[in-house]
Amino acid sequence: MSRPRRFEHDAVVDAAMQAFWAGGVVATSVDDLLQASGLSRSSLYGSYGNRDGLLAAAVERYVDVQIAAIAALFARHGDADGLRRMLADAAVDNFDGRGCLLVNAINELHEGHASDAAGARVVRAAFARLAAALQRAIADAAPQRDDSAQRGAALMAAIAGLRTLQRAGLPLALRRDAARRFAEALAAP
């Protein structure tokens, strides 16, 4: 008979997400994850299969949080104001300088490396899931339009660009201006 789990799944996944986000997906080792989560090696492997299994759970959690925030924002503020607020936030707030976990991860992972292939598949699937949710939120906020897929992709590109510019140190005034221009372009018919 196996022993019951002695850890809180959500707390472990949150700790792993923070570890991957802070240290980078490639550089975060199993030992880093054990230290961050408090798991034993046998619990990590028994519950998540391996490091990539815990990465998948952490990325899933990140996307769940982002999707909930996107849905709430567009439901509360509608199309044009939702776009403006989302872009303005991306210009100013960059998750305490860490940027976007998915953008960081996809830029780190290389499919040509066998050790990165599983992680790259997980991150690509997460991007697709996030894009679909963003497209739905935009379509629900502006049902009279038929370009939600294109606007969602452009919004994702704009946000990734703004977060990257912030990490690169572009002045806030320029990032805010860029966000305003992106919002105007995306709201235009």
Side-chain angles (χ1 to χ4, degrees), residues 37-93:
S37 68
L39 283 178
S40 68
R41 194 171 296 275
S42 63
S43 291
L44 185 147
Y45 288 107
S47 296
Y48 301 99
N50 58 26
R51 178 187 172 282
D52 289 334
L54 189 49
L55 172 63
V59 166
E60 185 81 10
R61 171 65 48 84
Y62 178 84
V63 172
D64 288 345
V65 169
Q66 298 307 312
I67 287 173
I70 289 165
L73 179 75
F74 280 95
R76 189 176 327 116
H77 298 287
D79 183 52
D81 196 37
L83 290 167
R84 184 189 60 73
R85 287 173 182 265
M86 202 168 182
L87 288 161
D89 182 59
V92 175
D93 179 34

Side-chain angles (χ1 to χ4, degrees), residues 78-145:
D79 183 52
D81 196 37
L83 290 167
R84 184 189 60 73
R85 287 173 182 265
M86 202 168 182
L87 288 161
D89 182 59
V92 175
D93 179 34
N94 202 11
F95 302 111
D96 298 324
R98 295 176 294 169
C100 172
L101 175 61
L102 297 181
V103 171
N104 297 350
I106 205 66
N107 286 325
E108 288 180 65
L109 296 166
H110 306 284
E111 279 198 63
H113 295 99
S115 62
D116 293 351
R121 282 191 301 276
V122 163
V123 174
R124 273 197 321 279
F127 264 113
R129 189 169 156 243
L130 186 59
L134 187 54
Q135 178 182 344
R136 278 190 309 277
I138 290 171
D140 290 348
Q144 73 282 8
R145 296 184 67 149

Side-chain angles (χ1 to χ4, degrees), residues 1-12 37-40 42-44 46-48:
M1 180 173 192
S2 66
R3 293 186 322 194
R5 286 188 188 176
R6 296 192 188 276
F7 63 86
E8 173 61 41
H9 171 76
D10 290 343
V12 167
S37 68
L39 283 178
S40 68
S42 63
S43 291
L44 185 147
S47 296
Y48 301 99

